[in-house]
Amino acid sequence: MIKRFEIGFEIPLGKISEYLSFIEGRVREWYKYTLNSIRIDGNKLLFSIKYGESIVEATLTGDFNPELTLSYDPSLPYEYILNIALNVNYFTNEFYSMVREGNLILVFVPGLPVVPIKLMSPFKRILYGIFTGSLAMMFAISLLVGVFFFLLMGYYAPLGIVSFQLILFLLSPKILSSLGDWPIDEAHGEIYIVSCHYPLNVFREITSKRWNEVIKVKEQIYRETFGRGVTPTPEIVSNVLKSFNLDCPVENIRVKHVSLYKLVVDVCGKLNIKPPKIVLSNTIIANAGVSGPSVSNALFIITSGLLYRLNDDEIEAVLGHELSHCIRRDPLALFVLSNLEYVSRVYILLSIVIFPLDLIYFLFALTMLFFIAKFFEARADLDSYMLLGSGDHLVNALIKIAFPSAFTERYKAYRLRSWLRWNPHPPVYFRILRLGSLGENLKFKHPLIQSIKDCVSGFISSF
């Protein structure tokens, strides 16, 4: 069996040889008792590791985006294979921290205004969490909102809170659209991402002292390319940067093209649904989410950070996961569950339970709601798997997006904490291990029931 893992770190092309030598040393050190062979051949590091009577053959291809290929006997546990990939990612992260460069990312949507890349404000982070986190976070903030309503409405405050949340739920697509910078449709569905790599000291100077010039650079690049009916090239971008005294060699510039609207349409076609409204948020955070009570009035928000970090297959896997929430109406289900619990707790339970039992119950109920939300997230993973016939692309996407969590959650203590935290997602390590362990083109008649079983089993195995 062969598994491929695209390493989620960018290695300067001038450092490839040094990178491979560094990884060779770390592999020798980490696998000193099981290493069978290791050598560098051109731009590839070839090594093999013994596991019992079997051998795992590994090829690490040195490139700007390194790729690890593992060939092994299918009888070997996938967890062992996964841990080799995570270890190589960890070694790469060590090397990257020593040689990393600053990366100026410029995102363009032809036909739409130039917008500078930005960090998401704390307020927008809260909105994003509420409306793309399967609505479970609404339960968490109901206590704060409740104080205001109890002051105004007294006994009827819980009904006011539920009504307020219902309004938020129905308006969530419109509210969430405020986080987007560009509406994406058939006429404006092509995304171009220009990345310019600078030494860290130069990059820090640009971001701290010359950031206002970046928007002017973007406008000039737009005029020199899309304004003339051509697409950006490293040569054009380099010349524009030079005119602003922000010199960046051609070899340090890359242009990525993503047909985002087509990707969404293709995934929706496989699911037999009409594409929802799409907005692109120009932020470095790699994320995507769907909000709304149904497919017909849902909103799909995608960040440019996600498009930059993932390849097309990985983006499709993430789109399939998010659209599953929409098709299955997971936000609506969790909205109903959370508010039924809230109303019954306020009008029934609190009248017969005294402090501190009421507080203990509240904490327990909140933890359970987030645990239930994990069932829906796990089902969305299965839906994405069944859509593409493989979990490999979603596995690679998860490793790239959440590598630190995947690496630390290999240890049970960290994994148990992730199961119990107030977050709708199961532990990343659990999700990756589960998807990678599946065969090809399996079908699940009841993916929710399967996901509940898997989550409960995963939780128990964390002890």
mmCIF file of all heavy atoms in Angstrom, residues 376-405:
data_model
loop_
_atom_site.group_PDB
_atom_site.id
_atom_site.type_symbol
_atom_site.label_atom_id
_atom_site.label_comp_id
_atom_site.label_asym_id
_atom_site.label_seq_id
_atom_site.Cartn_x
_atom_site.Cartn_y
_atom_site.Cartn_z
ATOM 1 N N PHE A 376 -21.583 15.046 14.868
ATOM 2 C CA PHE A 376 -21.909 15.623 13.569
ATOM 3 C C PHE A 376 -20.643 15.933 12.771
ATOM 4 O O PHE A 376 -20.620 15.794 11.548
ATOM 5 C CB PHE A 376 -22.763 16.873 13.747
ATOM 6 C CG PHE A 376 -24.103 16.609 14.375
ATOM 7 C CD1 PHE A 376 -24.438 17.142 15.599
ATOM 8 C CD2 PHE A 376 -25.037 15.812 13.730
ATOM 9 C CE1 PHE A 376 -25.668 16.899 16.180
ATOM 10 C CE2 PHE A 376 -26.272 15.556 14.298
ATOM 11 C CZ PHE A 376 -26.595 16.098 15.520
ATOM 12 N N GLU A 377 -19.604 16.386 13.471
ATOM 13 C CA GLU A 377 -18.338 16.655 12.784
ATOM 14 C C GLU A 377 -17.743 15.357 12.238
ATOM 15 O O GLU A 377 -17.216 15.326 11.117
ATOM 16 C CB GLU A 377 -17.346 17.324 13.738
ATOM 17 C CG GLU A 377 -17.707 18.743 14.128
ATOM 18 C CD GLU A 377 -17.590 19.719 12.978
ATOM 19 O OE1 GLU A 377 -16.888 19.406 11.999
ATOM 20 O OE2 GLU A 377 -18.211 20.797 13.046
ATOM 21 N N ALA A 378 -17.826 14.299 13.030
ATOM 22 C CA ALA A 378 -17.299 13.005 12.579
ATOM 23 C C ALA A 378 -18.104 12.479 11.397
ATOM 24 O O ALA A 378 -17.545 11.879 10.468
ATOM 25 C CB ALA A 378 -17.321 12.004 13.735
ATOM 26 N N ARG A 379 -19.423 12.703 11.414
ATOM 27 C CA ARG A 379 -20.235 12.285 10.266
ATOM 28 C C ARG A 379 -19.855 13.078 9.017
ATOM 29 O O ARG A 379 -19.800 12.532 7.910
ATOM 30 C CB ARG A 379 -21.725 12.468 10.548
ATOM 31 C CG ARG A 379 -22.586 12.096 9.349
ATOM 32 C CD ARG A 379 -24.066 12.154 9.633
ATOM 33 N NE ARG A 379 -24.526 13.502 9.939
ATOM 34 C CZ ARG A 379 -25.787 13.798 10.228
ATOM 35 N NH1 ARG A 379 -26.696 12.841 10.263
ATOM 36 N NH2 ARG A 379 -26.139 15.046 10.519
ATOM 37 N N ALA A 380 -19.583 14.374 9.183
ATOM 38 C CA ALA A 380 -19.179 15.190 8.033
ATOM 39 C C ALA A 380 -17.874 14.672 7.437
ATOM 40 O O ALA A 380 -17.676 14.713 6.217
ATOM 41 C CB ALA A 380 -19.032 16.659 8.448
ATOM 42 N N ASP A 381 -16.966 14.175 8.295
ATOM 43 C CA ASP A 381 -15.738 13.558 7.793
ATOM 44 C C ASP A 381 -16.067 12.326 6.940
ATOM 45 O O ASP A 381 -15.485 12.122 5.868
ATOM 46 C CB ASP A 381 -14.831 13.142 8.948
ATOM 47 C CG ASP A 381 -14.099 14.315 9.583
ATOM 48 O OD1 ASP A 381 -14.107 15.420 8.990
ATOM 49 O OD2 ASP A 381 -13.513 14.132 10.668
ATOM 50 N N LEU A 382 -16.993 11.501 7.422
ATOM 51 C CA LEU A 382 -17.375 10.314 6.660
ATOM 52 C C LEU A 382 -18.042 10.691 5.343
ATOM 53 O O LEU A 382 -17.811 10.055 4.304
ATOM 54 C CB LEU A 382 -18.330 9.438 7.475
ATOM 55 C CG LEU A 382 -17.726 8.479 8.499
ATOM 56 C CD1 LEU A 382 -18.803 7.562 9.061
ATOM 57 C CD2 LEU A 382 -16.594 7.664 7.899
ATOM 58 N N ASP A 383 -18.873 11.732 5.364
ATOM 59 C CA ASP A 383 -19.531 12.179 4.133
ATOM 60 C C ASP A 383 -18.499 12.657 3.118
ATOM 61 O O ASP A 383 -18.622 12.380 1.920
ATOM 62 C CB ASP A 383 -20.526 13.298 4.442
ATOM 63 C CG ASP A 383 -21.811 12.779 5.066
ATOM 64 O OD1 ASP A 383 -22.095 11.576 4.928
ATOM 65 O OD2 ASP A 383 -22.526 13.580 5.697
ATOM 66 N N SER A 384 -17.489 13.378 3.582
ATOM 67 C CA SER A 384 -16.429 13.826 2.685
ATOM 68 C C SER A 384 -15.677 12.623 2.122
ATOM 69 O O SER A 384 -15.349 12.586 0.926
ATOM 70 C CB SER A 384 -15.460 14.751 3.434
ATOM 71 O OG SER A 384 -14.382 15.144 2.614
ATOM 72 N N TYR A 385 -15.417 11.638 2.965
ATOM 73 C CA TYR A 385 -14.746 10.411 2.523
ATOM 74 C C TYR A 385 -15.567 9.710 1.440
ATOM 75 O O TYR A 385 -15.035 9.309 0.399
ATOM 76 C CB TYR A 385 -14.533 9.483 3.717
ATOM 77 C CG TYR A 385 -14.284 8.048 3.320
ATOM 78 C CD1 TYR A 385 -13.012 7.614 2.990
ATOM 79 C CD2 TYR A 385 -15.340 7.139 3.257
ATOM 80 C CE1 TYR A 385 -12.787 6.297 2.592
ATOM 81 C CE2 TYR A 385 -15.133 5.824 2.868
ATOM 82 C CZ TYR A 385 -13.854 5.416 2.538
ATOM 83 O OH TYR A 385 -13.645 4.122 2.132
ATOM 84 N N MET A 386 -16.875 9.542 1.689
ATOM 85 C CA MET A 386 -17.715 8.839 0.718
ATOM 86 C C MET A 386 -17.855 9.632 -0.573
ATOM 87 O O MET A 386 -17.972 9.060 -1.663
ATOM 88 C CB MET A 386 -19.090 8.554 1.323
ATOM 89 C CG MET A 386 -19.071 7.491 2.413
ATOM 90 S SD MET A 386 -20.721 6.979 2.959
ATOM 91 C CE MET A 386 -21.255 8.443 3.857
ATOM 92 N N LEU A 387 -17.814 10.943 -0.482
ATOM 93 C CA LEU A 387 -17.906 11.792 -1.669
ATOM 94 C C LEU A 387 -16.718 11.582 -2.601
ATOM 95 O O LEU A 387 -16.865 11.479 -3.821
ATOM 96 C CB LEU A 387 -17.987 13.261 -1.251
ATOM 97 C CG LEU A 387 -18.019 14.295 -2.375
ATOM 98 C CD1 LEU A 387 -19.367 14.247 -3.088
ATOM 99 C CD2 LEU A 387 -17.760 15.700 -1.829
ATOM 100 N N LEU A 388 -15.511 11.488 -2.017
ATOM 101 C CA LEU A 388 -14.289 11.388 -2.812
ATOM 102 C C LEU A 388 -13.775 9.957 -2.945
ATOM 103 O O LEU A 388 -12.840 9.704 -3.709
ATOM 104 C CB LEU A 388 -13.201 12.267 -2.196
ATOM 105 C CG LEU A 388 -13.539 13.761 -2.102
ATOM 106 C CD1 LEU A 388 -12.423 14.516 -1.400
ATOM 107 C CD2 LEU A 388 -13.786 14.347 -3.481
ATOM 108 N N GLY A 389 -14.351 9.031 -2.187
ATOM 109 C CA GLY A 389 -13.915 7.645 -2.260
ATOM 110 C C GLY A 389 -12.645 7.350 -1.506
ATOM 111 O O GLY A 389 -12.107 6.249 -1.553
ATOM 112 N N SER A 390 -12.125 8.360 -0.781
ATOM 113 C CA SER A 390 -10.890 8.198 -0.017
ATOM 114 C C SER A 390 -10.826 9.292 1.034
ATOM 115 O O SER A 390 -11.345 10.394 0.843
ATOM 116 C CB SER A 390 -9.677 8.278 -0.944
ATOM 117 O OG SER A 390 -8.476 8.356 -0.206
ATOM 118 N N GLY A 391 -10.155 8.980 2.138
ATOM 119 C CA GLY A 391 -9.982 9.975 3.181
ATOM 120 C C GLY A 391 -8.626 10.653 3.137
ATOM 121 O O GLY A 391 -8.338 11.532 3.955
ATOM 122 N N ASP A 392 -7.792 10.265 2.159
ATOM 123 C CA ASP A 392 -6.413 10.754 2.138
ATOM 124 C C ASP A 392 -6.314 12.269 1.991
ATOM 125 O O ASP A 392 -5.449 12.900 2.602
ATOM 126 C CB ASP A 392 -5.632 10.074 1.012
ATOM 127 C CG ASP A 392 -5.383 8.595 1.286
ATOM 128 O OD1 ASP A 392 -5.653 8.160 2.430
ATOM 129 O OD2 ASP A 392 -4.941 7.881 0.365
ATOM 130 N N HIS A 393 -7.165 12.856 1.152
ATOM 131 C CA HIS A 393 -7.078 14.297 0.912
ATOM 132 C C HIS A 393 -7.487 15.090 2.159
ATOM 133 O O HIS A 393 -6.862 16.102 2.485
ATOM 134 C CB HIS A 393 -7.942 14.698 -0.278
ATOM 135 C CG HIS A 393 -7.529 14.034 -1.562
ATOM 136 N ND1 HIS A 393 -6.222 14.005 -1.988
ATOM 137 C CD2 HIS A 393 -8.252 13.359 -2.495
ATOM 138 C CE1 HIS A 393 -6.144 13.351 -3.144
ATOM 139 N NE2 HIS A 393 -7.361 12.940 -3.462
ATOM 140 N N LEU A 394 -8.522 14.621 2.853
ATOM 141 C CA LEU A 394 -8.919 15.307 4.078
ATOM 142 C C LEU A 394 -7.865 15.108 5.165
ATOM 143 O O LEU A 394 -7.608 16.015 5.965
ATOM 144 C CB LEU A 394 -10.288 14.806 4.555
ATOM 145 C CG LEU A 394 -10.926 15.580 5.714
ATOM 146 C CD1 LEU A 394 -11.016 17.073 5.392
ATOM 147 C CD2 LEU A 394 -12.309 15.027 6.040
ATOM 148 N N VAL A 395 -7.238 13.943 5.183
ATOM 149 C CA VAL A 395 -6.131 13.691 6.118
ATOM 150 C C VAL A 395 -5.013 14.704 5.906
ATOM 151 O O VAL A 395 -4.526 15.340 6.852
ATOM 152 C CB VAL A 395 -5.579 12.252 5.948
ATOM 153 C CG1 VAL A 395 -4.205 12.121 6.611
ATOM 154 C CG2 VAL A 395 -6.544 11.246 6.553
ATOM 155 N N ASN A 396 -4.602 14.893 4.649
ATOM 156 C CA ASN A 396 -3.536 15.849 4.356
ATOM 157 C C ASN A 396 -3.952 17.265 4.716
ATOM 158 O O ASN A 396 -3.145 18.052 5.219
ATOM 159 C CB ASN A 396 -3.149 15.764 2.883
ATOM 160 C CG ASN A 396 -2.106 14.695 2.620
ATOM 161 O OD1 ASN A 396 -1.012 14.726 3.170
ATOM 162 N ND2 ASN A 396 -2.445 13.728 1.790
ATOM 163 N N ALA A 397 -5.218 17.606 4.456
ATOM 164 C CA ALA A 397 -5.708 18.943 4.801
ATOM 165 C C ALA A 397 -5.651 19.167 6.307
ATOM 166 O O ALA A 397 -5.221 20.229 6.782
ATOM 167 C CB ALA A 397 -7.136 19.119 4.283
ATOM 168 N N LEU A 398 -6.078 18.178 7.083
ATOM 169 C CA LEU A 398 -6.077 18.302 8.538
ATOM 170 C C LEU A 398 -4.659 18.421 9.088
ATOM 171 O O LEU A 398 -4.403 19.198 10.018
ATOM 172 C CB LEU A 398 -6.789 17.102 9.166
ATOM 173 C CG LEU A 398 -8.311 17.054 8.980
ATOM 174 C CD1 LEU A 398 -8.868 15.700 9.408
ATOM 175 C CD2 LEU A 398 -8.985 18.179 9.763
ATOM 176 N N ILE A 399 -3.728 17.654 8.520
ATOM 177 C CA ILE A 399 -2.340 17.743 8.990
ATOM 178 C C ILE A 399 -1.779 19.128 8.705
ATOM 179 O O ILE A 399 -1.097 19.729 9.538
ATOM 180 C CB ILE A 399 -1.466 16.651 8.333
ATOM 181 C CG1 ILE A 399 -1.879 15.267 8.831
ATOM 182 C CG2 ILE A 399 0.008 16.895 8.647
ATOM 183 C CD1 ILE A 399 -1.132 14.115 8.174
ATOM 184 N N LYS A 400 -2.059 19.667 7.534
ATOM 185 C CA LYS A 400 -1.558 20.991 7.184
ATOM 186 C C LYS A 400 -2.165 22.083 8.061
ATOM 187 O O LYS A 400 -1.475 22.999 8.513
ATOM 188 C CB LYS A 400 -1.861 21.306 5.710
ATOM 189 C CG LYS A 400 -1.010 20.547 4.715
ATOM 190 C CD LYS A 400 -1.372 20.967 3.295
ATOM 191 C CE LYS A 400 -0.528 20.241 2.258
ATOM 192 N NZ LYS A 400 -0.888 20.639 0.875
ATOM 193 N N ILE A 401 -3.473 21.988 8.279
ATOM 194 C CA ILE A 401 -4.175 23.047 9.011
ATOM 195 C C ILE A 401 -3.920 22.965 10.510
ATOM 196 O O ILE A 401 -3.798 23.979 11.186
ATOM 197 C CB ILE A 401 -5.696 22.972 8.729
ATOM 198 C CG1 ILE A 401 -5.983 23.283 7.246
ATOM 199 C CG2 ILE A 401 -6.468 23.942 9.620
ATOM 200 C CD1 ILE A 401 -7.415 23.024 6.840
ATOM 201 N N ALA A 402 -3.853 21.749 11.033
ATOM 202 C CA ALA A 402 -3.810 21.591 12.494
ATOM 203 C C ALA A 402 -2.700 20.639 12.923
ATOM 204 O O ALA A 402 -2.907 19.795 13.795
ATOM 205 C CB ALA A 402 -5.166 21.092 12.996
ATOM 206 N N PHE A 403 -1.520 20.778 12.332
ATOM 207 C CA PHE A 403 -0.424 19.869 12.664
ATOM 208 C C PHE A 403 -0.069 19.860 14.156
ATOM 209 O O PHE A 403 0.105 18.782 14.742
ATOM 210 C CB PHE A 403 0.824 20.187 11.838
ATOM 211 C CG PHE A 403 2.055 19.517 12.367
ATOM 212 C CD1 PHE A 403 2.227 18.149 12.249
ATOM 213 C CD2 PHE A 403 3.034 20.251 13.025
ATOM 214 C CE1 PHE A 403 3.350 17.518 12.758
ATOM 215 C CE2 PHE A 403 4.165 19.636 13.537
ATOM 216 C CZ PHE A 403 4.325 18.257 13.409
ATOM 217 N N PRO A 404 0.059 21.019 14.837
ATOM 218 C CA PRO A 404 0.434 20.971 16.265
ATOM 219 C C PRO A 404 -0.517 20.112 17.095
ATOM 220 O O PRO A 404 -0.075 19.334 17.950
ATOM 221 C CB PRO A 404 0.386 22.443 16.680
ATOM 222 C CG PRO A 404 0.654 23.198 15.420
ATOM 223 C CD PRO A 404 -0.044 22.404 14.350
ATOM 224 N N SER A 405 -1.818 20.240 16.832
ATOM 225 C CA SER A 405 -2.792 19.430 17.575
ATOM 226 C C SER A 405 -2.650 17.955 17.237
ATOM 227 O O SER A 405 -2.676 17.100 18.124
ATOM 228 C CB SER A 405 -4.219 19.902 17.261
ATOM 229 O OG SER A 405 -4.437 21.220 17.719
#
